[in-house]
Amino acid sequence: MISTKNGTIEKFIQLAKKRNPHQPEFIQAITEVAHSIIPYIEEHPEYEKTNILERIIEAERIIIFRVPWTNDNGQCMVNRGYRIQMNNAIGPYKGGLRFHPTVNLSILKFLAFEQVFKNSLTTLPMGGAKGGSDFDPKGKSDNEVMRFCQSFMNELYRHIGPNTDVPAGDIGVGGREIGYLFGQYKRLSNKFTGVLTGKGFAYGGSLIRPEATGYGLLFFVEEMLKTIGEKIKGKKVVISGSGNVAQYAIEKTIQMGGIPLTASDSDGFIYDIDGIDKDKLAFIMELKGVHRGRISEYAKKYNVPYYKGEKPWKIPCDIALPCAVQNELEEKDAKLLVKNKCKLVAEGANMPTTIEAIKYLQSKNILYAPGKASNAGGVATSGLEMSQNSIRLSWSRNEVEDKLQHIMQNIHNQCVHHGEKVDGTIDYMKGANIAGFVRVADAMLAEGHV
Ligand code: NDP
C-alpha cells in the first residue's frame, strides 16, 4: 500500500467499502483509480480541499425500476432495469446499456465510474453513465426482445434526452436492441432526436460506430508498439470474445497485417493456428449477429481445436486483447502470457484484467493498457454520432475513421504525458487515470459544490 501524506489509500478504500457494501466490482474500479489519483491529489491541494475524489465516487443519480414484459407464451415476466447517472461535469451523461443475467448495481456502478474517466480522455463533451438490466437476450425471440426493450424504455425515457443522458449499447445490446429502444423513445416523446447512439445508419447512426471500439483498440495498440519501435504487422494476437468488440478487433488486426489466433464466448474458445482470415471472420459475424450461435461451430466448420470452458490466454502470442467481460484475465493467466513471451496486453473489454494480474504484468514490464484508454474509441465515435445528429449531417467512413484514429493517438499522448516514468517506460493506468481525472475535477471545481 502506498503511504500518502495525510494517511493511506487504504483509508479511502475502507470508507468506499463502508458506503458501498457488497459491491466488489465497484470497489475494484475505485481501488485501481485511487492508487494513481490520491498521490496526485496530494500534490494538488485544490482537489484535496474540495473533496473531489469522494464526490466522484458518489453517483449523481441512480434509477432502479421494474421491467415487466410478456413472453411468447403469454406469461408476464419481470426484470430489473437500471440507469446510473454518475457524473455530468463535462457533458450530458453518456454510457452503454448492458443486458445480461449477471447485471447488478455493483457491476453497473463500476462501469459508470470507469466511463467518467474514459469519456473525459476522449476530450469530447460527455459525462459518464451506465445502465441495463438482468434480462438475458440469449434464447429469446426477436418479438420477446422487442417487447422487453419497449417496456424498458417506458420507464427510461423520462430520464434521458439528447442534452441530458444519451445511452448506447454494451454486452447484449447491439443494433437490434438499439433500434427497438429508439423506436419506443420516439413514440413516447414524439421527438426524433439523437437520444441513443449505435443507431442504424438509416435512422441517424454514424458510419464506423459498430467498428469503433475494436478499430480504436488496434489504433491504440499500434501507438503502444511504436514506443518500443515495433508494429502489429506479423504479430500473433490472442483475442477473447466474439461479440461486437472482438469482431472488429479481429478485422483491424487482419487489416494491419497481424494474425488473430483465437475467439471465444462464455462456453469456450477456438484456436485457429493458421489465423482467422476475412472469410472466417465473416462466418463469425454471421454466426453471432444473425444466427446467435456458439463459437464451437467455428471449430466444426474449420476443423480447428475447441477448448470447452477455457480461456485463450494459454495460447502463445505477442499481443493479448481481452474483449469479452470483466475479470476474465487473472494472475495465473498473466503468468502464462509472460511465460509464453507476450509483450503487450490491451483491454477491449471493461476491467477484464484483475488487479493482481495487472500488478504482475507491470512488474514484468509488459506493455499494459487499461480499457478506459484503449477501448475509448467506441464512446468517442458515439460522441461523433451525437455531433452528426446535432448538425443533421452524416460524415463519410474515411472522415469518421480518421477522427477516431486521431482521438486514439491523442488518448495515447495523454497517457504518456501523465504516465511516463523516469526510466522512459509508460504506466498507462496511471496516465489514463490522471488525465481523465484532471478534466472532470477542474470542471467540478469551476461548477462549485454540485
Ligand atoms: P457483445 O454482447 O457483443 O459480446 C460479448 C462477448 O463476451 C460475447 O462473445 C460473449 O459470449 C462474451 N462473454 C459474455 N460473458 C462472458 C463470460 N462470463 N465469459 C466469457 N465470455 C463472455 O458485447 P461487446 O462486444 O459490445 O462488449 C464486450 C466488452 O467490451 C464488455 O466488457 C463491454 O463493456 C466492453 N466495451 C464495449 C463497447 C462497445 O462499443 N460495444 C465499448 C467499450 C467497451 P456469449 O455469446 O457466450 O455471451
Side-chain angles (χ1 to χ4, degrees), residues 259-305:
I259 308 155
L261 295 175
T262 60
S264 72
D265 59 25
S266 47
D267 294 333
F269 79 92
I270 59 100
Y271 173 32
D272 193 331
I273 197 164
D274 298 328
I276 301 170
D277 61 19
K278 262 166 76 177
D279 293 341
K280 294 170 177 173
L281 175 60
F283 172 81
I284 296 179
M285 287 181 169
E286 180 153 339
L287 175 71
K288 288 289 170 183
V290 182
H291 307 299
R292 301 189 188 269
R294 310 309 300 156
I295 202 68
S296 54
E297 292 167 48
Y298 181 106
K300 283 189 206 127
K301 180 158 171 78
Y302 295 108
N303 198 22
V304 302

Side-chain angles (χ1 to χ4, degrees), residues 183-199:
Q184 189 68 356
Y185 179 85
K186 195 162 55 68
R187 223 175 145 196
L188 291 165
S189 64
N190 195 26
K191 287 186 183 121
F192 193 114
T193 65
V195 69
L196 290 157
T197 58
K199 300 184 292 296

Side-chain angles (χ1 to χ4, degrees), residues 334-335 338 342 358-367:
K335 286 185 173 161
V338 172
C342 172
I358 295 169
K359 276 192 195 143
Y360 185 77
L361 293 171
Q362 289 181 329
S363 74
K364 297 291 171 192
N365 280 330
I366 304 297
L367 290 173

Side-chain angles (χ1 to χ4, degrees), residues 318-359:
D318 304 299
I319 296 173
L321 305 177
C323 295
V325 74
Q326 65 273 358
N327 292 329
E328 58 170 316
L329 200 162
E330 299 173 66
E331 190 178 6
K332 62 176 176 6
D333 305 314
K335 286 185 173 161
L336 274 176
L337 286 170
V338 172
K339 189 171 145 231
N340 289 330
K341 309 260 181 293
C342 172
K343 53 177 76 160
L344 185 153
V345 176
E347 298 181 341
N350 286 311
M351 210 169 73
T353 318
T354 64
I355 290 182
E356 297 72 32
I358 295 169
K359 276 192 195 143

Side-chain angles (χ1 to χ4, degrees), residues 98-100 102 110-111 115 118 130 138 169-174 209-210 212-214 240-247 264-268 288 293-294 311 322-326 328 348-352 371 375-379 382:
R98 175 176 292 191
F99 292 170
H100 195 272
T102 57
F110 113 64
L111 289 164
Q115 198 80 47
K118 184 189 305 190
K130 203 80 188 189
K138 236 181 265 162
D170 189 74
I171 292 181
V173 179
R209 174 60 189 93
T213 309
S240 66
S242 51
N244 171 270
V245 178
Q247 289 171 14
S264 72
D265 59 25
S266 47
D267 294 333
K288 288 289 170 183
R294 310 309 300 156
K311 294 173 188 162
C323 295
V325 74
Q326 65 273 358
E328 58 170 316
N350 286 311
M351 210 169 73
N375 73 29
V379 73
S382 277

Side-chain angles (χ1 to χ4, degrees), residues 232-237 251-260:
I232 289 170
K233 197 164 191 292
K235 298 258 180 326
K236 291 184 179 149
V237 185
E251 184 163 281
K252 201 39 120 185
T253 300
I254 299 169
Q255 286 174 13
M256 289 177 148
I259 308 155

